[in-house]
């Protein structure tokens, strides 16, 4: 999350009644709409979120963390910082399914099923980048925290095993 310097929001409960911004079509739209009393501000691009956050018209901006970090560096006048939301619990998501978008997720690449050689080559390269530390170095280079970016949520493996990954698949992680 992008927040104004000096402000702290750690949980979904902390977001109640706030002005929350994101880009139109991003997964956070549904989550924001589910927060009691929160007002969604949807923008065509991240610049609108940053402009309104810097001006105080929005309390929190939900964007890709690396975009937030880049904006912090390029536009210090905004006086924003990156903050990581404590993911809602399974019970909170069960009570409000839209909160699932406030939980961590892992990006995937879609390939044709018949492109097995390409899939294996890409997966091997990604695994190697995790193993040799290159992935963590890249995240750090751009100001990210590998512990936040490169550890999959607990349900990632179960959601993908036997669907688009082998039954014994384990997602890459800096925790290995």
């Amino acid at each position: 999350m992008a927040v104004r310097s000096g402000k702290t929001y750690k949980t979904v409960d902390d977001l109640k009644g706030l002005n929350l911004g994101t880009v139109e079509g991003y997964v956070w739209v549904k989550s924001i709409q589910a927060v009691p009393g929160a007002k969604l501000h949807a923008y065509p691009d991240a610049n609108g979120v940053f402009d309104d956050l810097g001006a105080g018209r929005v309390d929190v901006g939900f964007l890709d963390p690396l975009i937030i970090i880049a904006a912090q560096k390029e536009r210090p006048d905004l006086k924003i910082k990156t903050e990581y939301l404590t993911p809602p619990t399974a019970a909170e998501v069960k009570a409000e399914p839209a909160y699932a978008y406030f939980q961590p997720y892992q990006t995937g690449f879609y390939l044709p099923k018949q492109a097995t050689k390409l899939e294996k080559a890409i997966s091997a390269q990604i695994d190697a980048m995790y193993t040799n530390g290159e992935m963590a170095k890249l995240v750090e280079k751009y100001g990210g925290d590998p512990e936040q970016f490169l550890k999959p949520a607990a349900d990632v493996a179960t959601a993908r095993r036997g669907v688009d990954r082998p039954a014994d698949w384990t997602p890459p992680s800096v925790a290995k």
Side-chain angles (χ1 to χ4, degrees), residues 12 15-17 20 30-39 99 102:
V12 174
L15 303 175
K16 290 178 179 176
L20 307 176
K30 291 179 183 179
S31 297
I32 290 169
Q33 290 170 328
V35 175
K39 182 169 191 239
Y99 285 180
F102 285 139

Side-chain angles (χ1 to χ4, degrees), residues 64-73 81-84 135-149:
D64 181 291
L66 291 178
I67 293 173
I68 298 168
I69 293 165
Q72 284 174 254
K73 291 178 182 177
K81 66 178 182 170
T82 303
E83 198 166 282
Y84 296 99
M135 192 70 79
K137 286 178 189 171
L138 283 169
V139 168
E140 288 170 347
K141 176 181 177 179
Y142 294 100
D145 176 0
E147 293 292 317
Q148 292 287 336
F149 278 81

Side-chain angles (χ1 to χ4, degrees), residues 107-150:
T107 301
F109 299 93
Y110 294 96
L111 300 170
K113 285 187 178 193
Q114 63 272 25
T116 55
K117 286 182 183 178
L118 178 60
E119 182 273 321
K120 286 179 182 171
I122 291 171
S123 292
Q125 186 61 43
I126 291 170
D127 288 343
M129 290 174 74
Y130 271 85
T131 302
N132 68 18
E134 187 176 352
M135 192 70 79
K137 286 178 189 171
L138 283 169
V139 168
E140 288 170 347
K141 176 181 177 179
Y142 294 100
D145 176 0
E147 293 292 317
Q148 292 287 336
F149 278 81
L150 302 176

